[in-house]
Amino acid sequence: MSAQSDMLSHLMSRRPGYTLPRALYTDPEMFDVDMERIWYRDWLLVGAGSEIPKTGNHMTVEIGAYSVIVVRGADGVARAFHNSCRHRGSRICKTHKGSAPKLVCPYHQWTYDLDGKLLWARDMGPEFDPSQHGLKTVHCREAAGILFICLGAEAPAFDAMAEMAQKYAGPHKLSECKLAHETTIVEKANWKLVIENNRECYHCSGSHPSLCVTFDDNPNIAGDGSGKDDPVIAAHLQKCEKAGLPSEFTIAPNEQWRFVRVPLVGSSVSYTLDGKQACEKLVGDVTIRDAGTLLFFHYPNTWNHFLSDMVILFSVKPVGPQETQVTTKWFVHKDAVEGQDYDLERLTTVWIHTNDEDREIIEENQRGINSPAYEPGPYSAAQESGVAQFVDWYCETMTSRLTGRALYAAE
């Protein structure tokens, strides 16, 4: 039986409202199907456009077997290319971030323009056609200052999500923010466990003392996030909408992405140990400090928080069947001065603590699932609706792509 057939068999055996079969969290062949059918086909958040603001600024991104260059062109457009020279295949960019007027392969100095065209290749003979040896392109789009790439031959629809990103996150003007700090940790667990953990706060009161100072573990926030019939959330939405900040819950037809603005605990205005602001300068067009946080997720690889004084982007990348890289980036107003407008430790402490705590509990989750005694358990309808929503998206998306049967209407 092929790995794809095995995957379908596992998906068909899944009991609704329960965790996934063990193999989907542990088996290397199932991981390979995940990579081929989801990670190499969907839009993935890789960072912010403000990280590569000038011509020639670039970053490299590793997604499974692929290495990708994202570079800012002379026309201001961000483009992405496979990080593989068209000569003998060497990686062109080795550093995580850099800047250069051209992209030059370090092996034999083949030189590419920032739009991917091959400009120079020494001693290739009169019949060599440079136009046939430009860098291979990767789909790249920017939405509300957020950079996305897609490795697929054809990219899924993007415009509807981009429109909502501009509507909801646009007021925070991420394109006018600067990166204040970045961390990357490796969690020894399957990528789905990392996303599942993010999609509930059932565990928060017992695991995240720093986060719970400011983030409300109300399941109407941490569950499906709609805040249906919750007067506190309703009042917060009304206040933010009045201040020009779109806030009402909205989710994609296929439930792959979602936006909603939610309140923090009590009088808290930012993710700090005392709930007070982390940065004196507000971001973008945000005029109220108590705007709470705009929650934006996009499966399979990101969840994000847009606050009045900072933006935090989280990106997930699978490394192996039981190993996942999680990168966190904190952004502040471009004119904010460290030591004057913000203290870096104060800005980052809550999520550094939370990320490390999550790493520990997710790794224990993986160790437990690795036991042959594991069997799928039931979700709490009250507390884990967000996890169920993600797992349903995963199962339905994977089934659709393995069978060719469309489960959702087009965007």
Tab-separated table of all heavy atoms in Angstrom, residues 5-49:
chain	number	residue	atom	x	y	z
A	5	SER	N	-2.202	6.093	0.164
A	5	SER	CA	-3.321	5.216	0.533
A	5	SER	C	-3.369	5.028	2.041
A	5	SER	O	-4.452	5.004	2.650
A	5	SER	CB	-3.187	3.873	-0.169
A	5	SER	OG	-3.281	4.023	-1.571
A	6	ASP	N	-2.196	4.879	2.645
A	6	ASP	CA	-2.128	4.769	4.102
A	6	ASP	C	-2.704	6.016	4.762
A	6	ASP	O	-3.445	5.922	5.752
A	6	ASP	CB	-0.680	4.588	4.554
A	6	ASP	CG	-0.196	3.159	4.409
A	6	ASP	OD1	-1.032	2.280	4.153
A	6	ASP	OD2	1.019	2.940	4.546
A	7	MET	N	-2.342	7.178	4.222
A	7	MET	CA	-2.845	8.428	4.774
A	7	MET	C	-4.372	8.462	4.705
A	7	MET	O	-5.048	8.786	5.700
A	7	MET	CB	-2.254	9.622	4.025
A	7	MET	CG	-2.858	10.970	4.385
A	7	MET	SD	-2.518	11.517	6.080
A	7	MET	CE	-0.860	12.192	5.874
A	8	LEU	N	-4.939	8.114	3.554
A	8	LEU	CA	-6.396	8.113	3.420
A	8	LEU	C	-7.041	7.133	4.404
A	8	LEU	O	-8.077	7.427	4.998
A	8	LEU	CB	-6.794	7.747	1.990
A	8	LEU	CG	-6.822	8.892	0.981
A	8	LEU	CD1	-7.100	8.361	-0.420
A	8	LEU	CD2	-7.877	9.927	1.365
A	9	SER	N	-6.407	5.985	4.575
A	9	SER	CA	-6.941	5.003	5.516
A	9	SER	C	-6.969	5.566	6.933
A	9	SER	O	-7.970	5.403	7.655
A	9	SER	CB	-6.082	3.729	5.468
A	9	SER	OG	-6.543	2.776	6.398
A	10	HIS	N	-5.906	6.241	7.325
A	10	HIS	CA	-5.870	6.853	8.658
A	10	HIS	C	-6.929	7.951	8.785
A	10	HIS	O	-7.604	8.060	9.821
A	10	HIS	CB	-4.492	7.443	8.936
A	10	HIS	CG	-3.421	6.414	9.119
A	10	HIS	ND1	-3.530	5.381	10.018
A	10	HIS	CD2	-2.201	6.281	8.528
A	10	HIS	CE1	-2.433	4.644	9.975
A	10	HIS	NE2	-1.610	5.159	9.078
A	11	LEU	N	-7.080	8.752	7.749
A	11	LEU	CA	-8.059	9.833	7.795
A	11	LEU	C	-9.479	9.287	7.892
A	11	LEU	O	-10.326	9.825	8.613
A	11	LEU	CB	-7.920	10.726	6.559
A	11	LEU	CG	-6.623	11.543	6.454
A	11	LEU	CD1	-6.528	12.212	5.092
A	11	LEU	CD2	-6.531	12.588	7.563
A	12	MET	N	-9.749	8.199	7.154
A	12	MET	CA	-11.081	7.610	7.176
A	12	MET	C	-11.391	6.972	8.532
A	12	MET	O	-12.548	6.859	8.928
A	12	MET	CB	-11.205	6.565	6.072
A	12	MET	CG	-11.154	7.122	4.648
A	12	MET	SD	-12.438	8.372	4.291
A	12	MET	CE	-11.485	9.906	4.427
A	13	SER	N	-10.333	6.549	9.241
A	13	SER	CA	-10.540	5.895	10.537
A	13	SER	C	-10.722	6.899	11.665
A	13	SER	O	-11.106	6.522	12.777
A	13	SER	CB	-9.357	4.979	10.864
A	13	SER	OG	-8.197	5.745	11.214
A	14	ARG	N	-10.451	8.161	11.392
A	14	ARG	CA	-10.511	9.173	12.438
A	14	ARG	C	-11.945	9.378	12.922
A	14	ARG	O	-12.877	9.510	12.134
A	14	ARG	CB	-9.949	10.493	11.911
A	14	ARG	CG	-9.940	11.580	12.977
A	14	ARG	CD	-10.201	12.940	12.377
A	14	ARG	NE	-10.487	13.921	13.400
A	14	ARG	CZ	-11.233	15.007	13.202
A	14	ARG	NH1	-11.754	15.242	12.010
A	14	ARG	NH2	-11.460	15.844	14.176
A	15	ARG	N	-12.097	9.422	14.218
A	15	ARG	CA	-13.398	9.651	14.836
A	15	ARG	C	-13.601	11.149	15.025
A	15	ARG	O	-12.772	11.814	15.659
A	15	ARG	CB	-13.457	8.938	16.180
A	15	ARG	CG	-14.799	8.982	16.897
A	15	ARG	CD	-14.712	8.136	18.167
A	15	ARG	NE	-15.928	8.228	18.950
A	15	ARG	CZ	-16.118	7.610	20.116
A	15	ARG	NH1	-15.132	6.842	20.604
A	15	ARG	NH2	-17.252	7.730	20.783
A	16	PRO	N	-14.682	11.730	14.485
A	16	PRO	CA	-14.904	13.184	14.632
A	16	PRO	C	-14.915	13.584	16.105
A	16	PRO	O	-15.457	12.878	16.962
A	16	PRO	CB	-16.281	13.385	13.992
A	16	PRO	CG	-16.403	12.267	13.012
A	16	PRO	CD	-15.723	11.099	13.659
A	17	GLY	N	-14.279	14.736	16.383
A	17	GLY	CA	-14.228	15.217	17.755
A	17	GLY	C	-13.150	14.584	18.597
A	17	GLY	O	-13.083	14.821	19.811
A	18	TYR	N	-12.274	13.790	17.946
A	18	TYR	CA	-11.185	13.122	18.640
A	18	TYR	C	-9.844	13.492	17.999
A	18	TYR	O	-9.791	13.957	16.858
A	18	TYR	CB	-11.361	11.597	18.582
A	18	TYR	CG	-12.314	11.046	19.617
A	18	TYR	CD1	-13.663	11.375	19.587
A	18	TYR	CD2	-11.861	10.215	20.624
A	18	TYR	CE1	-14.551	10.876	20.541
A	18	TYR	CE2	-12.737	9.700	21.590
A	18	TYR	CZ	-14.073	10.037	21.535
A	18	TYR	OH	-14.926	9.548	22.492
A	19	THR	N	-8.775	13.275	18.746
A	19	THR	CA	-7.438	13.523	18.230
A	19	THR	C	-7.138	12.580	17.068
A	19	THR	O	-7.865	11.613	16.821
A	19	THR	CB	-6.386	13.346	19.336
A	19	THR	OG1	-6.458	12.001	19.826
A	19	THR	CG2	-6.621	14.322	20.475
A	20	LEU	N	-6.045	12.845	16.377
A	20	LEU	CA	-5.704	12.092	15.166
A	20	LEU	C	-5.096	10.730	15.503
A	20	LEU	O	-4.535	10.533	16.585
A	20	LEU	CB	-4.697	12.890	14.341
A	20	LEU	CG	-5.223	14.184	13.714
A	20	LEU	CD1	-4.058	14.987	13.138
A	20	LEU	CD2	-6.252	13.889	12.632
A	21	PRO	N	-5.158	9.800	14.561
A	21	PRO	CA	-4.465	8.520	14.738
A	21	PRO	C	-2.970	8.728	14.954
A	21	PRO	O	-2.379	9.686	14.441
A	21	PRO	CB	-4.743	7.781	13.427
A	21	PRO	CG	-6.009	8.381	12.916
A	21	PRO	CD	-5.960	9.825	13.331
A	22	ARG	N	-2.362	7.819	15.678
A	22	ARG	CA	-0.965	7.943	16.103
A	22	ARG	C	-0.006	8.164	14.936
A	22	ARG	O	0.912	8.994	15.013
A	22	ARG	CB	-0.582	6.679	16.874
A	22	ARG	CG	0.850	6.620	17.387
A	22	ARG	CD	1.000	5.422	18.316
A	22	ARG	NE	2.371	5.236	18.777
A	22	ARG	CZ	3.213	4.355	18.237
A	22	ARG	NH1	2.822	3.589	17.223
A	22	ARG	NH2	4.436	4.243	18.717
A	23	ALA	N	-0.192	7.436	13.841
A	23	ALA	CA	0.746	7.512	12.716
A	23	ALA	C	0.841	8.915	12.137
A	23	ALA	O	1.892	9.305	11.614
A	23	ALA	CB	0.339	6.527	11.621
A	24	LEU	N	-0.225	9.697	12.234
A	24	LEU	CA	-0.209	11.048	11.656
A	24	LEU	C	0.654	12.008	12.470
A	24	LEU	O	0.967	13.103	12.006
A	24	LEU	CB	-1.635	11.582	11.520
A	24	LEU	CG	-2.553	10.755	10.613
A	24	LEU	CD1	-3.878	11.458	10.411
A	24	LEU	CD2	-1.897	10.481	9.264
A	25	TYR	N	1.034	11.592	13.662
A	25	TYR	CA	1.949	12.382	14.482
A	25	TYR	C	3.364	11.792	14.531
A	25	TYR	O	4.277	12.446	15.041
A	25	TYR	CB	1.440	12.466	15.920
A	25	TYR	CG	0.124	13.172	16.119
A	25	TYR	CD1	-0.971	12.502	16.666
A	25	TYR	CD2	-0.023	14.524	15.796
A	25	TYR	CE1	-2.173	13.146	16.889
A	25	TYR	CE2	-1.227	15.177	16.015
A	25	TYR	CZ	-2.301	14.487	16.553
A	25	TYR	OH	-3.488	15.134	16.766
A	26	THR	N	3.543	10.564	14.039
A	26	THR	CA	4.809	9.874	14.279
A	26	THR	C	5.482	9.317	13.037
A	26	THR	O	6.706	9.220	12.998
A	26	THR	CB	4.590	8.701	15.257
A	26	THR	OG1	3.680	7.750	14.659
A	26	THR	CG2	4.006	9.176	16.591
A	27	ASP	N	4.729	8.921	12.033
A	27	ASP	CA	5.251	8.127	10.916
A	27	ASP	C	5.979	8.990	9.890
A	27	ASP	O	5.414	9.960	9.391
A	27	ASP	CB	4.097	7.387	10.238
A	27	ASP	CG	4.588	6.360	9.240
A	27	ASP	OD1	5.108	6.766	8.186
A	27	ASP	OD2	4.442	5.156	9.499
A	28	PRO	N	7.231	8.670	9.545
A	28	PRO	CA	7.977	9.447	8.549
A	28	PRO	C	7.279	9.497	7.186
A	28	PRO	O	7.340	10.525	6.499
A	28	PRO	CB	9.322	8.715	8.459
A	28	PRO	CG	9.478	8.047	9.783
A	28	PRO	CD	8.088	7.625	10.168
A	29	GLU	N	6.623	8.434	6.781
A	29	GLU	CA	5.942	8.437	5.484
A	29	GLU	C	4.734	9.367	5.513
A	29	GLU	O	4.454	10.048	4.527
A	29	GLU	CB	5.522	7.016	5.096
A	29	GLU	CG	6.694	6.115	4.714
A	29	GLU	CD	6.235	4.812	4.109
A	29	GLU	OE1	5.049	4.438	4.297
A	29	GLU	OE2	7.064	4.155	3.433
A	30	MET	N	4.019	9.416	6.619
A	30	MET	CA	2.887	10.342	6.732
A	30	MET	C	3.390	11.790	6.751
A	30	MET	O	2.753	12.686	6.199
A	30	MET	CB	2.072	10.045	7.998
A	30	MET	CG	1.424	8.654	8.027
A	30	MET	SD	0.329	8.295	6.623
A	30	MET	CE	1.450	7.407	5.506
A	31	PHE	N	4.535	11.995	7.371
A	31	PHE	CA	5.155	13.325	7.355
A	31	PHE	C	5.478	13.749	5.924
A	31	PHE	O	5.244	14.899	5.538
A	31	PHE	CB	6.420	13.323	8.208
A	31	PHE	CG	7.203	14.606	8.152
A	31	PHE	CD1	6.794	15.722	8.865
A	31	PHE	CD2	8.348	14.696	7.368
A	31	PHE	CE1	7.518	16.913	8.811
A	31	PHE	CE2	9.073	15.874	7.311
A	31	PHE	CZ	8.661	16.986	8.033
A	32	ASP	N	6.000	12.826	5.127
A	32	ASP	CA	6.322	13.145	3.734
A	32	ASP	C	5.061	13.533	2.951
A	32	ASP	O	5.104	14.444	2.116
A	32	ASP	CB	7.005	11.958	3.054
A	32	ASP	CG	8.414	11.713	3.576
A	32	ASP	OD1	8.982	12.634	4.207
A	32	ASP	OD2	8.944	10.604	3.350
A	33	VAL	N	3.949	12.865	3.233
A	33	VAL	CA	2.691	13.227	2.572
A	33	VAL	C	2.260	14.627	3.009
A	33	VAL	O	1.796	15.435	2.201
A	33	VAL	CB	1.591	12.190	2.860
A	33	VAL	CG1	0.268	12.616	2.222
A	33	VAL	CG2	1.993	10.810	2.340
A	34	ASP	N	2.401	14.935	4.302
A	34	ASP	CA	2.117	16.293	4.790
A	34	ASP	C	2.911	17.332	4.004
A	34	ASP	O	2.369	18.369	3.579
A	34	ASP	CB	2.481	16.420	6.269
A	34	ASP	CG	1.403	15.909	7.207
A	34	ASP	OD1	0.324	15.521	6.727
A	34	ASP	OD2	1.643	15.905	8.435
A	35	MET	N	4.197	17.074	3.833
A	35	MET	CA	5.051	18.037	3.143
A	35	MET	C	4.604	18.214	1.693
A	35	MET	O	4.475	19.345	1.201
A	35	MET	CB	6.519	17.594	3.203
A	35	MET	CG	7.098	17.532	4.610
A	35	MET	SD	6.973	19.082	5.545
A	35	MET	CE	8.084	20.130	4.596
A	36	GLU	N	4.386	17.100	0.998
A	36	GLU	CA	4.038	17.168	-0.425
A	36	GLU	C	2.658	17.781	-0.654
A	36	GLU	O	2.480	18.565	-1.594
A	36	GLU	CB	4.085	15.763	-1.042
A	36	GLU	CG	5.478	15.177	-1.155
A	36	GLU	CD	6.338	15.892	-2.186
A	36	GLU	OE1	5.778	16.578	-3.063
A	36	GLU	OE2	7.576	15.759	-2.110
A	37	ARG	N	1.686	17.441	0.179
A	37	ARG	CA	0.303	17.827	-0.087
A	37	ARG	C	-0.129	19.120	0.578
A	37	ARG	O	-1.137	19.708	0.191
A	37	ARG	CB	-0.637	16.686	0.347
A	37	ARG	CG	-0.427	15.404	-0.444
A	37	ARG	CD	-0.890	15.573	-1.879
A	37	ARG	NE	-0.574	14.402	-2.691
A	37	ARG	CZ	-1.181	14.116	-3.834
A	37	ARG	NH1	-2.128	14.904	-4.283
A	37	ARG	NH2	-0.812	13.052	-4.529
A	38	ILE	N	0.611	19.559	1.606
A	38	ILE	CA	0.240	20.802	2.295
A	38	ILE	C	1.375	21.812	2.240
A	38	ILE	O	1.216	22.906	1.678
A	38	ILE	CB	-0.189	20.509	3.744
A	38	ILE	CG1	-1.536	19.756	3.726
A	38	ILE	CG2	-0.297	21.802	4.557
A	38	ILE	CD1	-2.101	19.437	5.088
A	39	TRP	N	2.528	21.470	2.790
A	39	TRP	CA	3.594	22.456	2.934
A	39	TRP	C	4.182	22.910	1.601
A	39	TRP	O	4.624	24.064	1.487
A	39	TRP	CB	4.689	21.911	3.845
A	39	TRP	CG	4.219	21.909	5.262
A	39	TRP	CD1	3.504	20.933	5.886
A	39	TRP	CD2	4.340	22.979	6.205
A	39	TRP	NE1	3.193	21.313	7.170
A	39	TRP	CE2	3.700	22.551	7.393
A	39	TRP	CE3	4.945	24.225	6.167
A	39	TRP	CZ2	3.654	23.359	8.523
A	39	TRP	CZ3	4.901	25.020	7.301
A	39	TRP	CH2	4.256	24.591	8.452
A	40	TYR	N	4.191	22.057	0.595
A	40	TYR	CA	4.719	22.442	-0.711
A	40	TYR	C	3.636	22.979	-1.636
A	40	TYR	O	3.880	23.207	-2.820
A	40	TYR	CB	5.418	21.253	-1.378
A	40	TYR	CG	6.644	20.735	-0.656
A	40	TYR	CD1	7.144	19.464	-0.919
A	40	TYR	CD2	7.312	21.500	0.309
A	40	TYR	CE1	8.266	18.968	-0.262
A	40	TYR	CE2	8.424	21.015	0.971
A	40	TYR	CZ	8.898	19.737	0.682
A	40	TYR	OH	10.013	19.250	1.332
A	41	ARG	N	2.428	23.229	-1.085
A	41	ARG	CA	1.319	23.703	-1.920
A	41	ARG	C	0.652	24.970	-1.403
A	41	ARG	O	-0.002	25.676	-2.165
A	41	ARG	CB	0.257	22.607	-2.050
A	41	ARG	CG	0.714	21.379	-2.800
A	41	ARG	CD	-0.464	20.503	-3.171
A	41	ARG	NE	-0.055	19.309	-3.885
A	41	ARG	CZ	-0.898	18.509	-4.513
A	41	ARG	NH1	-2.189	18.781	-4.509
A	41	ARG	NH2	-0.450	17.422	-5.145
A	42	ASP	N	0.755	25.221	-0.088
A	42	ASP	CA	0.008	26.328	0.501
A	42	ASP	C	0.863	27.576	0.683
A	42	ASP	O	2.092	27.522	0.674
A	42	ASP	CB	-0.570	25.903	1.854
A	42	ASP	CG	-1.817	25.064	1.700
A	42	ASP	OD1	-2.821	25.594	1.183
A	42	ASP	OD2	-1.795	23.887	2.090
A	43	TRP	N	0.183	28.715	0.878
A	43	TRP	CA	0.875	29.960	1.214
A	43	TRP	C	1.444	29.841	2.618
A	43	TRP	O	0.765	29.400	3.545
A	43	TRP	CB	-0.080	31.137	1.138
A	43	TRP	CG	-0.459	31.516	-0.263
A	43	TRP	CD1	-1.637	31.266	-0.899
A	43	TRP	CD2	0.364	32.226	-1.200
A	43	TRP	NE1	-1.594	31.764	-2.177
A	43	TRP	CE2	-0.382	32.362	-2.385
A	43	TRP	CE3	1.660	32.755	-1.152
A	43	TRP	CZ2	0.117	33.010	-3.516
A	43	TRP	CZ3	2.159	33.398	-2.276
A	43	TRP	CH2	1.399	33.525	-3.435
A	44	LEU	N	2.697	30.254	2.779
A	44	LEU	CA	3.394	30.182	4.059
A	44	LEU	C	3.913	31.558	4.439
A	44	LEU	O	4.552	32.236	3.625
A	44	LEU	CB	4.575	29.202	3.975
A	44	LEU	CG	4.265	27.788	3.477
A	44	LEU	CD1	5.563	27.010	3.316
A	44	LEU	CD2	3.310	27.068	4.418
A	45	LEU	N	3.664	31.974	5.668
A	45	LEU	CA	4.218	33.239	6.158
A	45	LEU	C	5.709	33.054	6.428
A	45	LEU	O	6.113	32.107	7.099
A	45	LEU	CB	3.486	33.662	7.423
A	45	LEU	CG	3.882	35.013	8.026
A	45	LEU	CD1	2.683	35.647	8.736
A	45	LEU	CD2	5.039	34.883	9.021
A	46	VAL	N	6.524	33.982	5.898
A	46	VAL	CA	7.973	33.892	6.097
A	46	VAL	C	8.548	35.105	6.824
A	46	VAL	O	9.724	35.109	7.182
A	46	VAL	CB	8.721	33.687	4.760
A	46	VAL	CG1	8.344	32.351	4.150
A	46	VAL	CG2	8.451	34.821	3.772
A	47	GLY	N	7.739	36.142	7.041
A	47	GLY	CA	8.249	37.313	7.745
A	47	GLY	C	7.488	38.561	7.348
A	47	GLY	O	6.367	38.494	6.829
A	48	ALA	N	8.113	39.699	7.573
A	48	ALA	CA	7.514	40.999	7.257
A	48	ALA	C	8.300	41.682	6.155
A	48	ALA	O	9.527	41.558	6.076
A	48	ALA	CB	7.482	41.886	8.503
A	49	GLY	N	7.577	42.425	5.324
A	49	GLY	CA	8.240	43.163	4.261
A	49	GLY	C	9.249	44.162	4.782
A	49	GLY	O	10.246	44.461	4.122
